Amino acid sequence: KNEVEQSPQNLTAQEGEFITINCSYSVGISALHWLQQHPGGGIVSLFMLSSGKKKHGRLIATINIQEKHSSLHITASHPRDSAVYICAVGNSGGSNYKLTFGKGTLLTVNP
Amino acid sequence: DAGVIQSPRHEVTEMGQEVTLRCKPISGHNSLFWYRQTMMRGLELLIYFNNNVPIDDSGMPEDRFSAKMPNASFSTLKIQPSEPRDSAVYFCASSSTGFGQPQHFGDGTRLSIL
């Protein structure tokens, strides 16, 4: 079973700061997902990646397969970025639909 | 485009009662997932359907839980009888089949069993 660890658990930043959230996993994967969960509870898929880097607006996700590590960066953070960010990994092999989730990182961006 | 639609948004009931959660996946998606989220355990997969067929129900906690997908546009998750430890947020998600397809989540059902 894959173990997914996220750090930090909680992060407080000032508006405009550069944010980094980290995710490590223990065994080989088919893909890694970053999800965002707002206080209202809805979950949105931000990125799915299996190598390299992806960028969407102010969000950048990177993955290092050899080191089994991924980072989610937010540039020029804004209070509306306040949410829980969840890393999830898909197992390699036949059950690649099955995601193992980290416990999430609670990000609070103050104005 | 309508997203994944779940109902009800909130459910409060007494232990022992039957609870039915409903999900309408995105049209054209042929994979459907039911998840449970708690503070202690985070998000956990309960059951996965592909083309309306249950493929993996290894996450279903016990016989009190059952899930059905009678057609491509509707699924239910039923708990009978409910217990206080079933209190959680239950999410339904759907995706297209195939590697690399993102899962689209509904807004969840917040279930409280008293």
Side-chain angles (χ1 to χ4, degrees), chain B residues 23 35 49 57 62 68 70 88 104:
Chain B
C23 175
Y35 292 98
F49 289 89
D57 65 355
E62 48 197 273
K68 293 183 179 179
H104 299 259

Side-chain angles (χ1 to χ4, degrees), chain B residues 24-98:
Chain B
K24 177 178 167 55
I26 292 173
S27 177
H29 284 185
N30 47 13
S31 291
L32 184 138
F33 307 82
W34 281 101
Y35 292 98
R36 179 170 66 177
Q37 185 179 40
T38 60
M39 290 291 292
M40 288 294 294
R41 301 170 68 94
L43 274 162
E44 301 173 287
L45 177 66
L46 298 177
I47 188 167
Y48 161 57
F49 289 89
N50 185 252
N51 291 325
N52 313 340
V53 176
I55 302 299
D56 184 348
D57 65 355
S58 58
M60 295 284 265
E62 48 197 273
D63 291 346
R64 298 184 298 106
F65 284 68
S66 62
K68 293 183 179 179
M69 192 163 185
N71 57 62
S73 59
F74 184 65
S75 177
T76 59
L77 177 68
K78 188 173 292 188
I79 308 173
Q80 166 64 14
S82 57
E83 296 182 5
R85 62 192 166 119
D86 302 329
S87 298
V89 182
Y90 291 81
F91 286 97
C92 175
S94 71
S95 74
S96 300
T97 299

Side-chain angles (χ1 to χ4, degrees), chain A residues 6-109:
Chain A
Q6 286 187 238
S7 63
Q9 277 189 296
N10 294 282
L11 180 56
T12 300
Q14 288 300 121
E15 184 173 356
E17 286 185 3
F18 181 83
I19 304 289
T20 296
I21 300 171
N22 297 299
C23 175
S24 297
Y25 52 92
S26 56
V27 299
I29 63 170
S30 58
L32 184 142
H33 303 249
W34 281 103
L35 309 171
Q36 179 191 57
Q37 185 171 25
H38 275 286
I43 296 174
V44 175
S45 179
L46 297 175
F47 294 104
M48 193 220 74
L49 64 167
S50 52
S51 65
K53 181 167 88 171
K54 287 192 176 179
K55 185 176 189 291
H56 182 69
R58 296 180 293 106
L59 273 59
I60 302 166
T62 64
I63 189 168
N64 184 317
I65 297 296
Q66 286 72 33
E67 294 186 4
K68 297 186 176 61
H69 180 270
S70 175
S71 293
L72 176 69
H73 305 285
I74 305 175
T75 61
S77 59
H78 190 276
R80 65 174 175 268
D81 297 325
S82 298
V84 175
Y85 292 85
I86 302 170
C87 171
V89 299
N91 298 325
S92 57
S95 61
N96 57 17
Y97 60 85
K98 200 163 193 170
L99 298 181
T100 301
F101 296 85
K103 292 286 175 64
T105 295
L106 174 60
L107 171 66
T108 303
V109 181

Side-chain angles (χ1 to χ4, degrees), chain B residues 7-8 11 18-22 74-79 109:
Chain B
S7 63
E11 174 91 16
E18 178 180 292
V19 173
T20 300
L21 311 182
R22 296 173 176 80
F74 184 65
S75 177
T76 59
L77 177 68
K78 188 173 292 188
I79 308 173
T109 295

